Amino acid sequence: MRTIVIPKGRFLDAVKNRLTSNYKALKRFVNKKPVYIYFIYQTMSGTVKEFVVETDYQDSLGKDLDMEYLTKILAVQDKYKR
């Protein structure tokens, strides 16, 4: 298996975007339940692959995300019921 190198800031932004664009995932994460986030990428040879990240609020990835910000986003989404 090859190592995928992604800068931490970009990866956190991608995870935050995934959470905020998926109501169910955001609600699970804010309610302190584990969330699976799928990423699809293309290799240099053109092959499309995917990888999965399991995270919750207690692991290192979850701690790096701004829980207060995500809670506010969920409250706004609940208010306007998308």
Side-chain angles (χ1 to χ4, degrees):
M1 180 179 262
R2 287 195 140 158
T3 302
I4 301 170
V5 180
I6 305 170
K8 183 179 178 181
R10 289 182 66 192
F11 186 71
L12 286 174
D13 287 344
V15 170
K16 190 179 352 173
N17 287 339
R18 287 293 178 103
L19 286 174
T20 56
S21 66
N22 186 327
Y23 176 78
K24 287 183 181 181
L26 179 60
K27 189 169 186 170
R28 282 184 60 87
F29 186 80
V30 169
N31 290 332
K32 301 179 180 176
K33 295 180 181 173
V35 175
Y36 296 93
I37 302 171
Y38 292 81
F39 289 95
I40 297 173
Y41 66 98
Q42 187 171 8
T43 64
M44 296 293 281
S45 64
T47 307
V48 176
K49 296 186 176 189
E50 73 175 21
F51 69 94
V52 181
V53 175
E54 178 186 12
T55 188
D56 64 19
Y57 74 101
Q58 290 179 330
D59 66 9
S60 59
L61 177 60
K63 289 179 181 177
D64 285 341
L65 294 170
D66 185 3
M67 191 67 148
E68 186 177 318
Y69 171 78
L70 294 174
T71 304
K72 287 178 183 178
I73 294 294
L74 180 63
V76 169
Q77 287 182 1
D78 280 339
K79 182 177 178 181
Y80 294 104
K81 290 287 185 189
R82 304 187 315 123

